[in-house]
Structure formats: C-alpha cells, structure tokens
Amino acid sequence: MTEFKIDDLSDNLLDFAVGVAEGVNPQWVMIMTGYKTIIAWDNDHGHRHGYRPSSDPRVGLPIADREHIDSGYCGKDANPDWVGMWWAELGEGIYNYAQGAKNCHSIGRTRLEAMMRCRLKISSPNKRTITMMGNVSLTQGSNKVSGGR
C-alpha cells in the first residue's frame, strides 16, 4: 500500500487516484506515448478509453456535479499563496456537521485539478491523504505513474 498527500497529486497520478475512488474498471492499462503516460482502461470490448477527470471536463464535471463541489478563481484579494489558482469545496449546506463530515477545501492550478482533489478528500478518512492498494508509485519530478492494482 502506498500513501499520498492529496494536495500533492496532479496530472496522471491524480487521475489514477480519482479512478480508483470512482471505482473505474480495475483493469488499468498504461499506454506510453512518447514521454507522456496516458491512463486508460479497457471496456468490455477491448477498446481503450482515456480517463482524465482532472483535465477533461466531460469526465471531471459530472463527478463534481454529483458530489456538489463548487469552485472559483483566487483573485488578487485571496491568500497571496493562492492568487492565480483555483479553489474547490463542497457547496453550502451539503456537508453535515452533525455526522462529523468536513469540507474538502482544495487548491489547484486549474478548476478541475482543485475539484478532483476535493473529490478525493471527500472519501479520505483524514481529508489529507489517500492510500492506494498495490504498488502504485510516482517517479519524483516526472509525474509518471507505475504499477497498478
């Protein structure tokens, strides 16, 4: 098992983690195209489909809508560390303090990156890290995912 800090996830590893959290087909296929790794899965007919919820609105926005994740741009009046970034969190009235649920406030370089980090925090017991089964790893600085479940 490998533990990752949610706020450090981006690109392929973020997409992979969201796929795991969403229960996407467990037969992952890693396709190397030049220097970039693309995460995909096989459907029942053997066709491969890209899965990029952190960069493809057709995949990420339905997840955000279902989870009631709101987002916005951090303008000049935001925390100086966040200016030019995007925020995401559960919409007002969605989270339930009585049951101990907490918000999933996240920051990202793009709207979808922030939203998908928030999606992972929703399912994380501590709202900070996720643990993935198997030997998933990230090569530091390259954003290449290896292993799988």
Side-chain angles (χ1 to χ4, degrees):
M1 296 195 344
T2 308
E3 186 172 78
F4 295 96
K5 186 176 174 190
I6 293 169
D7 289 335
D8 291 344
L9 299 178
S10 62
D11 303 313
N12 286 331
L13 191 56
L14 178 58
D15 292 337
F16 185 87
V18 171
V20 171
E22 288 287 304
V24 173
N25 186 329
Q27 176 126 12
W28 289 92
V29 178
M30 305 306 291
I31 305 168
M32 294 299 291
T33 58
Y35 293 103
K36 190 161 189 163
T37 303
I38 298 172
I39 296 173
W41 76 92
D42 281 331
N43 68 11
D44 294 335
H45 305 289
H47 297 101
R48 295 177 177 163
H49 299 277
Y51 187 76
R52 296 188 180 295
S54 71
S55 62
D56 185 347
R58 295 170 298 174
V59 180
L61 289 179
I63 294 170
D65 287 345
R66 185 193 70 230
E67 298 293 340
H68 305 284
I69 297 172
D70 290 339
S71 67
Y73 185 72
C74 301
K76 62 182 174 72
D77 296 329
N79 176 323
D81 294 336
W82 300 346
V83 172
M85 305 285 274
W86 289 80
W87 60 265
E89 63 187 17
L90 290 176
E92 278 188 48
I94 301 302
Y95 48 96
N96 186 342
Y97 288 110
Q99 294 186 7
K102 296 178 183 167
N103 209 329
C104 63
H105 184 77
S106 298
I107 298 294
R109 297 168 297 168
T110 66
R111 178 182 183 206
L112 284 172
E113 182 179 82
M115 291 173 129
M116 293 306 102
R117 287 177 178 167
C118 187
R119 163 60 187 94
L120 291 175
K121 288 180 180 181
I122 291 169
S123 58
S124 168
N126 66 17
K127 308 294 183 225
R128 292 184 309 275
T129 61
I130 59 163
T131 303
M132 287 192 266
M133 303 294 284
N135 62 343
V136 176
S137 63
L138 175 66
T139 305
Q140 285 294 356
S142 73
N143 204 31
K144 289 187 177 179
V145 181
S146 62
R149 52 179 181 154

